[in-house]
Amino acid sequence: MNQSPRDPSLGKLLQALDLLAEVYEAGSFSRAAERLGIDQSAVSHRVRALEAALGFTLFERTTRRVTPTRAGTLLCQAAGRASADLAQALAAARELRSGGAIRLSVPSSLAMKWLVPRLADARRDGLDLSLEVREDLAALDQGQIDAAIRFGPGPYPGHHAQRLARCRLQPVASPAYLRHAGVSAEGASLIGLGRLADRRGEQDGTRFSWADYLVASGGGPIDGPAPMYFDRADLMLQAAIGGLGVALGRSLLIEDDIRLGLLVPVGPSAPSASDYWLVTRYESADTESMNRLMRWLERGIAHTLAAG
């Protein structure tokens, strides 16, 4: 594929990022020179040379102050953002290089139901994780975290995304609830049973909903009362453990509770439209720390799904 030739002015701008940002913030060549640790004449010379290369004026000069032109304002503000982004990326790179904790963003339900109980295992395996519980990728874009586990359809444009596991939907209930309802888990019909649902899953595009489960499992619509809604899947599952009804569970959120006898599957499972992904910035995707994290997650997930 043919690529457009690079504008030679970009290289000169990249070399002048700190200069433009400092002059713009300081409002004078002399104060910018002090901050940069160079002579004022060197600042003036570099600005004139840049303006000559670009073909337009960046600053209007007076005896007391330099004022950016409209074009200068655009480039100086962009220079400030670029310098800040580079500083943030450098700090993250140094942290990864030094073997510091991996800052991992995890949705709340996955953190509570799967990851937090396994943090001790991660530490024993030499993996130092610092968790940030949040539902979006904003912190990844801003460089505040190193990686994120996400439940969704993928593949998250603009980021490097690796599928950790395919997901299945599975209704679950407490044994006591089913005994009280007079049904067995194997032959239970959802008709007549109270349903519990995650409100977020019906609104965030992950298609984690009873309607999607019924379509994927080949079941028809269910007549009866509307589901009881919760704002988080882990709260919904805790309500199921407490005997409030049948919750719509999914992979990684239910296996531990099933193993402990707190929940039992009700009816068939069905494929989910969303899976679990490890999402990182492209520049850190192939670092040793990210590869170690990926291998540890894959092993832990495979063990959980096999045991379930």
Side-chain angles (χ1 to χ4, degrees):
M1 180 182 295
N2 293 330
Q3 295 182 340
S4 300
R6 180 175 176 175
D7 187 337
S9 298
L10 287 176
K12 298 183 181 299
L13 281 172
L14 289 173
Q15 294 174 2
L17 287 180
D18 286 345
L19 176 69
L20 291 176
E22 290 294 349
V23 173
Y24 180 73
E25 184 175 342
S28 76
F29 288 169
S30 60
R31 284 196 293 272
E34 290 176 5
R35 295 184 182 187
L36 293 170
I38 59 178
D39 292 336
Q40 178 179 342
S41 60
V43 173
S44 300
H45 175 74
R46 288 175 62 186
V47 170
R48 285 196 301 271
L50 181 59
E51 290 175 329
L54 296 175
F56 51 82
T57 301
L58 296 173
F59 300 97
E60 300 289 350
R61 284 85 157 171
T62 67
T63 56
R64 292 187 175 183
R65 186 173 180 84
V66 293
T67 304
T69 62
R70 292 176 64 185
T73 297
L74 287 174
L75 292 181
C76 288
Q77 290 177 343
R81 292 192 298 269
S83 294
D85 288 345
L86 283 172
Q88 201 168 53
L90 178 59
R94 284 172 172 164
E95 183 173 340
L96 290 175
R97 180 71 178 270
S98 66
I102 298 174
R103 298 168 299 178
L104 181 63
S105 173
V106 191
S108 54
S109 295
L110 185 65
M112 293 300 296
K113 299 300 289 185
W114 188 78
L115 187 54
V116 168
R118 289 165 174 80
L119 286 181
D121 292 337
R123 183 64 60 87
R124 283 192 291 269
D125 288 345
L127 200 60
D128 189 8
L129 300 179
S130 173
L131 297 191
E132 178 172 333
V133 177
R134 61 187 301 159
E135 311 302 327
D136 58 29
L137 287 171
L140 185 62
D141 293 330
Q142 298 165 9
Q144 297 172 3
I145 60 172
D146 301 311
I149 301 176
R150 287 296 173 265
F151 172 71
Y156 304 96
H159 298 89
H160 183 274
Q162 295 174 274
R163 183 184 281 108
L164 288 170
R166 296 198 178 274
C167 184
R168 295 188 68 82
L169 305 179
Q170 174 66 68
V172 289
S174 71
Y177 176 79
L178 295 180
R179 286 195 300 271
H180 181 75
V183 298
S184 65
E186 295 77 12
S189 167
L190 293 173
I191 297 176
L193 299 179
R195 287 176 293 146
L196 311 177
D198 173 22
R199 190 185 310 277
R200 183 186 297 275
E202 296 191 0
Q203 300 173 348
D204 61 5
T206 60
R207 296 174 61 183
F208 179 45
S209 71
W210 280 105
D212 288 295
Y213 166 75
L214 292 171
V215 170
S217 64
I222 300 175
D223 295 327
M228 180 185 299
Y229 282 97
F230 296 82
D231 289 332
R232 287 172 26 180
D234 57 321
L235 299 179
M236 169 192 65
L237 291 169
Q238 194 61 39
I241 292 172
L244 290 183
V246 181
L248 181 61
R250 67 173 189 251
S251 302
L252 299 189
L253 303 189
I254 58 175
E255 285 81 4
D256 287 351
D257 289 333
I258 290 174
R259 177 175 52 82
L260 293 172
L262 301 174
L263 294 172
V264 293
V266 179
S269 67
S272 169
S274 293
D275 296 319
Y276 289 105
W277 302 79
L278 180 64
V279 187
T280 63
R281 294 184 298 275
Y282 281 106
E283 59 267 27
S284 60
D286 198 32
T287 61
E288 176 57 28
S289 59
M290 287 301 109
N291 288 329
R292 289 178 59 230
L293 174 62
M294 182 71 180
R295 292 193 295 268
W296 182 81
L297 289 170
E298 287 179 330
R299 289 196 304 270
I301 290 172
H303 182 267
T304 298
L305 298 180

